[in-house]
C-alpha cells in the first residue's frame, strides 16, 4: 500500500510536470518577426525628407543614443525633450568630444506625437534628433527594440517619454557613484510595486530590485545580443531583457536615481500589474521548459 501510494504520487508529479510543460509550450508566443515595414526603414527629417536608418551591427559613431518610445505622448513629450536636450547640449559644450543622438520612436500614435518630435528635429538638426514612426503599435518593448536597432551609439539609453527620471541622473547611471532613494509614491502603487518586485526576484531576475525604472543603459554589444533574443514586446519586456542578460552572463549593475510620478501613465495599476505578474510566470516557465530558446538573430 505504501509503495503503491508513493508510486502514485510520483506519477502524479510527473503528470503535473508534463501538464505544466504542455501549457508553457501551447501558450508560448513565437518570437516576434524582426521585420521593418518599408516606411520604417527611414527617419523623417524636419523638412520631410527620408534618411535611411543605420543598423545596430554597424560600428558606433556616437557616444550615446537615447531611445524614447512614445505612444500618444504629444502632451508629456515636450517636457522630457526640453530637459533631455538642455542637459545633452550643455554636456556637449563642456566636453566637445561627447556626441549624442535622441531617437523618438512613435509607436503608432493616434495623436500628434510625431509632429511634436519633429519640432525638436527642426530646432536641433536631424543628426541629433531623429524621429522614427512605426506603421502600427508594437508595444513599448517593440518600439524600444526598433529604436535600439536604428541607433548609432556606443552606449544606448532607454528613456521614458514621461520624463519621470531626470536626465542629469545619466551620470549616476554611468558612474555608479551614488545611491539615492526614489521619490515617494502612493501607498497602493507602492504595495503593488513591492509585490511585483518580489515576483521578479522570485521568478526571473535576482540581481535587480527595480526592473521597471525608465532609465536603462546598455553597451552596443549587449543591446544587440539581448534585443535580438527578446520575445515580449509589451510592458514586461524589461524583465525578459534582464533575464536574457543574466543567462548570457552579461554583467548587470543597478544604480538608484531620482524618480517623480508623472500624471498620464498608460498603466492601469491593478490590472497592469496583474498582467505583468502573469507574464513573469510565463517567462520563467517558457524558458525553463524549453518553449523559448535563447536564439541570436540578425536584424534586417
Amino acid at each position: 500500500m505504501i509503495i503503491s501510494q508513493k508510486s502514485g504520487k510520483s506519477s502524479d508529479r510527473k503528470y503535473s510536470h508534463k501538464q505544466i510543460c504542455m501549457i508553457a509550450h501551447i501558450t508560448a508566443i513565437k518570437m516576434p518577426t524582426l521585420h521593418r515595414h518599408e516606411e520604417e526603414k527611414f527617419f523623417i527629417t524636419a523638412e520631410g525628407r527620408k534618411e535611411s536608418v543605420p543598423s545596430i551591427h554597424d560600428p558606433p559613431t556616437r557616444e550615446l543614443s537615447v531611445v524614447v518610445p512614445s505612444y500618444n505622448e504629444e502632451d508629456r513629450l515636450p517636457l522630457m525633450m526640453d530637459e533631455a536636450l538642455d542637459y545633452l547640449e550643455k554636456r556637449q559644450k563642456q566636453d566637445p568630444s561627447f556626441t549624442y543622438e535622441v531617437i523618438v520612436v512613435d509607436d503608432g500614435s493616434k495623436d500628434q506625437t510625431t509632429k511634436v518630435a519633429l519640432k525638436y528635429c527642426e530646432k536641433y538638426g536631424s543628426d541629433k534628433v531623429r524621429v522614427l514612426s512605426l506603421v502600427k503599435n508594437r508595444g513599448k518593448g517593440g518600439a524600444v527594440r526598433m529604436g535600439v536597432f536604428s541607433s548609432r551609439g556606443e552606449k544606448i539609453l532607454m528613456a521614458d517619454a514621461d520624463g519621470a527620471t531626470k536626465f542629469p541622473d545619466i551620470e549616476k547611471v554611468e558612474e555608479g557613484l551614488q545611491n539615492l532613494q526614489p521619490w515617494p509614491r502612493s501607498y497602493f502603487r507602492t504595495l503593488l510595486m513591492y509585490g511585483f518586485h518580489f515576483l521578479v526576484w522570485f521568478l526571473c531576475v535576482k540581481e535587480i530590485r527595480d526592473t521597471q525604472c525608465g532609465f536603462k543603459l546598455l553597451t552596443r554589444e549587449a543591446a544587440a545580443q539581448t534585443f535580438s533574443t527578446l520575445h515580449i514586446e509589451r510592458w514586461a519586456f524589461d524583465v525578459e531583457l534582464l533575464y536574457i542578460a543574466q543567462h548570457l552572463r552579461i554583467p548587470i549593475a543597478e544604480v538608484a536615481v531620482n524618480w517623480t510620478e508623472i500624471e498620464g501613465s498608460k498603466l492601469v495599476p491593478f490590472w497592469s500589474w496583474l498582467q505583468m505578474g502573469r507574464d513573469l510566470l510565463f517567462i520563467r516557465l517558457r524558458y525553463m521548459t524549453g518553449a523559448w530558446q535563447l536564439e541570436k538573430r540578425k536584424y534586417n
Side-chain angles (χ1 to χ4, degrees):
M1 292 288 292
I2 296 175
I3 295 174
S4 175
Q5 187 176 11
K6 287 182 178 178
S7 177
K9 287 183 178 179
S10 176
S11 297
D12 288 343
R13 284 196 296 269
K14 290 179 180 178
Y15 182 67
S16 177
H17 179 70
K18 288 181 180 178
Q19 283 184 315
I20 292 173
C21 289
M22 285 179 62
I23 292 171
H25 280 263
I26 291 171
T27 61
I29 56 173
K30 294 182 179 179
M31 188 179 291
T33 303
L34 300 185
H35 170 72
R36 290 183 190 268
H37 293 280
E38 191 62 32
E39 294 88 340
E40 296 170 351
K41 296 179 180 179
F42 304 93
F43 288 115
I44 305 170
T45 69
E47 298 77 26
R49 296 194 312 271
K50 292 182 177 180
E51 293 183 359
S52 297
V53 300
S55 168
I56 186 69
H57 302 291
D58 296 335
T61 58
R62 298 291 180 275
E63 183 174 339
L64 178 68
S65 291
V66 180
V67 176
V68 186
S70 307
Y71 178 67
N72 293 342
E73 293 288 4
E74 64 176 7
D75 294 328
R76 299 196 297 177
L77 187 62
L79 181 63
M80 177 268 175
M81 292 291 284
D82 287 339
E83 182 190 19
L85 288 161
D86 180 65
Y87 165 80
L88 293 168
E89 285 292 294
K90 286 180 178 177
R91 180 168 171 176
Q92 191 172 66
K93 287 180 180 177
Q94 294 173 353
D95 179 10
S97 66
F98 172 74
T99 54
Y100 75 88
E101 65 176 354
V102 177
I103 302 173
V104 178
V105 184
D106 184 345
D107 190 21
S109 297
K110 296 178 175 63
D111 65 359
Q112 301 298 311
T113 295
T114 287
K115 186 176 180 180
V116 170
L118 284 173
K119 291 181 180 178
Y120 291 91
C121 180
E122 182 179 1
K123 181 177 179 180
Y124 292 92
S126 58
D127 194 49
K128 288 185 174 180
V129 179
R130 306 187 132 190
V131 182
L132 180 61
S133 293
L134 305 186
V135 172
K136 64 178 182 178
N137 179 266
R138 292 174 179 252
K140 184 179 178 182
V144 172
R145 189 202 322 247
M146 292 293 282
V148 166
F149 283 172
S150 305
S151 65
R152 299 174 290 172
E154 185 176 354
K155 293 176 288 186
I156 302 170
L157 177 74
M158 295 186 296
D160 289 343
D162 61 9
T165 311
K166 303 307 175 186
F167 254 79
D169 281 342
I170 293 176
E171 295 175 22
K172 297 189 184 77
V173 176
E174 291 177 317
E175 299 172 6
L177 295 178
Q178 297 182 357
N179 184 29
L180 304 176
Q181 293 297 319
W183 286 49
R185 307 184 190 187
S186 67
Y187 289 117
F188 181 61
R189 291 178 70 92
T190 300
L191 179 63
L192 290 172
M193 175 189 71
Y194 282 118
F196 178 73
H197 289 175
F198 172 76
L199 285 176
V200 172
W201 176 86
F202 184 72
L203 294 172
C204 297
V205 182
K206 304 290 186 184
E207 302 173 20
I208 303 296
R209 292 175 58 193
D210 186 357
T211 60
Q212 304 309 111
C213 180
F215 269 14
K216 287 184 179 65
L217 187 67
L218 300 89
T219 64
R220 192 172 185 80
E221 181 182 1
Q225 289 181 349
T226 53
F227 277 96
S228 295
T229 308
L230 196 68
H231 292 81
I232 293 177
E233 291 195 319
R234 299 288 168 178
W235 295 107
F237 85 95
D238 309 70
V239 180
E240 190 193 359
L241 192 75
L242 292 168
Y243 186 87
I244 292 168
Q246 185 174 263
H247 279 263
L248 293 178
R249 299 185 182 277
I250 296 173
I252 306 171
E254 184 175 33
V255 177
V257 295
N258 287 308
W259 184 93
T260 306
E261 187 168 349
I262 305 296
E263 292 185 2
S265 173
K266 310 245 177 351
L267 283 174
V268 180
F270 180 76
W271 293 111
S272 295
W273 294 124
L274 191 64
Q275 180 183 353
M276 285 194 277
R278 180 203 65 187
D279 288 343
L280 293 181
L281 178 61
F282 279 117
I283 289 172
R284 175 70 173 175
L285 283 176
R286 286 164 180 165
Y287 277 113
M288 185 176 69
T289 62
W292 284 354
Q293 302 289 333
L294 291 177
E295 306 170 22
K296 293 183 181 180
R297 299 177 300 163
K298 190 166 183 176
Y299 195 98
N300 295 321

